[in-house]
Amino acid sequence: ITEFLPNPEDSDRDNEFIEIYNAGETDANLDGWTLEDKMGRVKVFEIIERVDIKSGGYKVFYSDETKIALNNSGDGVVLKNDKGKIMDETPVSDSAKEDQAYALNENGNWVWTLRPTAGRKNIIKEEEVSEIEQDEHIPKNPPNPLLERGNSQERNNNSDGAGDSKQDGSSQEIEANDDSGAEVVEYDFSDEIIISEIYPNPTGRNNRDGNYEWVELYNCSLRDVNLIGWQIDDILKKGSKLYTIKENKIISARSHLVFTNEEIKVIFNNSGDEVNLLWADGTVVDNARYGKSIEGQSYNWVNNGWVWSRIITPGKINTVGKILSAKSVVSLYNEDEVEIDESDADVEENFAGDIEYVKATVAEAKELPRFSDVKISGVVSTSPGIFSDNIFYIAGSGIQIYSKKVDISEINIGDEIEVAGQISEVGGEKRILLSKAENIKIISRDNLVEPKIISTADIGKAIEGCLVTVEGEIVEIKDDVFFLDDGSGRVKIYIKPRTGIEKTKIEINKRAVITGQVSRTSAGYRILPRFQADLKFGRVSGTAVSFASSTYLAGQEGEKNILFSEGVNFVIYAIMMLAGVLILIDWGRMKAARSKK
């Protein structure tokens, strides 16, 4: 057990997690193993399906699957094998602060970290005692990066490649000295610095007469970072000599910095090579590998992947220094050679700050890589306060908007809004982080919100974040979760406790029509009903179509709409019956008159 999160930021019970790591040399099968907590009402979760963890791999179990409720006042976790033998257990923690994980550090000690890292190597970022808030990662006993490179310096390539989650980091004072004197150097350990472009094969003779190879870094964070002590290398412990930045070198927030061969003397092979960026303690923070290079082309990090392009942009964003429309950004780098139409440039300056936002549809925004700055518009399908005070959803292609810093309590279902923020991800689900009040504005109110009509088999990435309606039979019930099946496959319906939705009518083999947001966690996709009116039981006339066409401006109003609709249907039915009776009476009178004649 390497990490657990008892108190997620949005206070959702389903987002608590327990992380397991396989430190063995072979893959491990956890079939029949159990997890349980230690404090309060102990819950035992048995892994009843085959779960393999590769050697050196992680497996994360979320609470919507385990039903283990980790106590915020302090808790621990026990892992047992299929024979009931305790394989590992954690100590009992002290009280948990919101969104802090209890994690195992490199010294084998359990500590609180401000950086939950579900499914990957732990990053220990502890709260600072000083008055100045530090949003930083402080390594334990870091080696002196200014010493000569040698066998004593252990360097661990723990990067999964460029494009891993990059969060903000911080500084740490390291004594760069011997016993005869002391020199204190402060080093930054931000992990939001990424390799963004590599130019390994300039046209003509390389590394002469100003024709240098170079590597470009980009600072994804909103703060300046000092790169003193950082290191740049090609293949670790092979190839070129490691380059260490020995003087203050600032990479500004949301800016690029280029290092040429003239300065760093690192040679990138034309036949294929790699670039490694290391912290001052020797930890690899980012790396990139490329195959055979193309003369005169650079290797670019764009759209969550690496591609070759003959558009060389040292010190600029990898789209000729301009933000194009999201459609262009997504499609531009599907080919090695492209032409850019300058008229397609769409630099936005409507929002505060110097950040340039990609103007996108919701569907395009969902395809952009993490840390992309994006601006979208749409109609709100789930307002703040339903699932969480910090979350609401945009309809249409559907995406989650998250904000902890901005008051979004006045946002209502049916509001058409324009919002700018940064692409992020939680539990595999894309979201947009809203950090400034001026980056959201209401365009209009009381717009129609219609869900998509889907089958139970349609649940997946294509409709992640969408408002949907599905009809089927209830085939399984587990606490706040039940499963619906229309014959094409099962879909999970999860009722969040804070919605207050009553579950008394949820019964096995009962027909139901459910409307809700499609959400994703590491355990898979599910539909989240918003309020009572999103659940309708029994076979619905006209199937889901008639139900889905209702507009929900609020929970109670949605129920009133349904009641009103049913009342109108009753009145129409009564009028039709009365008309039938009148026709019969009139027909009887006509028959009587004819018989008299």
Side-chain angles (χ1 to χ4, degrees), residues 257-277:
L257 193 60
V258 175
F259 293 85
T260 69
N261 171 269
E262 183 180 25
E263 176 183 2
I264 65 178
K265 308 302 181 186
V266 176
I267 296 175
F268 304 122
N269 297 325
N270 295 345
S271 58
D273 211 335
E274 66 179 78
V275 181
N276 284 281
L277 176 65

Side-chain angles (χ1 to χ4, degrees), residues 309-338:
S309 174
R310 62 187 178 87
I311 304 166
I312 313 303
T313 56
K316 299 179 181 179
I317 194 167
N318 294 341
T319 50
V320 199
K322 294 185 179 181
I323 297 293
L324 304 180
S325 68
K327 184 177 181 181
S328 300
V329 174
V330 171
S331 62
L332 179 61
Y333 291 90
N334 291 334
E335 302 179 76
D336 288 339
E337 295 191 19
V338 294

Side-chain angles (χ1 to χ4, degrees), residues 17-133:
F17 70 77
I18 300 168
E19 177 188 82
I20 307 296
Y21 174 72
N22 180 8
E25 296 180 355
T26 60
D27 294 355
N29 176 22
L30 301 186
D31 187 11
W33 288 44
T34 60
L35 283 169
E36 61 185 73
D37 58 342
K38 286 187 171 184
M39 305 301 291
R41 184 178 297 176
V42 173
K43 174 72 175 179
V44 178
F45 168 69
E46 181 179 0
I47 304 169
I48 57 176
E49 298 179 355
R50 183 178 179 89
V51 174
D52 291 320
I53 306 182
K54 293 183 178 181
S55 174
Y58 296 86
K59 173 63 180 176
V60 180
F61 294 93
Y62 282 83
S63 52
D64 66 341
E65 177 186 6
T66 66
K67 306 305 177 190
I68 295 176
L70 299 167
N71 295 318
N72 294 348
S73 57
D75 214 331
V77 182
V78 180
L79 175 67
K80 297 179 180 179
N81 67 11
D82 55 353
K83 307 297 183 184
K85 179 182 178 181
I86 295 178
M87 304 303 293
D88 195 20
E89 62 179 312
T90 74
V92 175
S93 68
D94 53 1
S95 295
K97 293 185 179 180
E98 187 177 76
D99 206 33
Q100 289 197 24
Y102 204 47
L104 192 64
N105 69 15
E106 59 187 14
N107 296 325
N109 298 320
W110 283 88
V111 296
W112 289 107
T113 175
L114 296 169
R115 174 116 12 106
T117 53
R120 60 191 180 95
K121 184 175 179 179
N122 292 346
I123 296 177
I124 306 301
K125 186 178 69 170
E126 300 181 73
E127 286 187 316
E128 295 291 334
V129 178
S130 63
E131 294 181 359
I132 301 176
E133 181 180 353

Side-chain angles (χ1 to χ4, degrees), residues 32 432-433 455 461 481 494 553 586:
I432 295 176
L433 300 181
S455 68
K461 184 178 180 180
V481 173
Y494 176 51
L553 297 178
D586 189 52

Side-chain angles (χ1 to χ4, degrees), residues 450-462:
E450 292 201 42
K452 298 177 184 291
I453 311 301
I454 66 167
S455 68
T456 54
D458 290 335
I459 293 293
K461 184 178 180 180

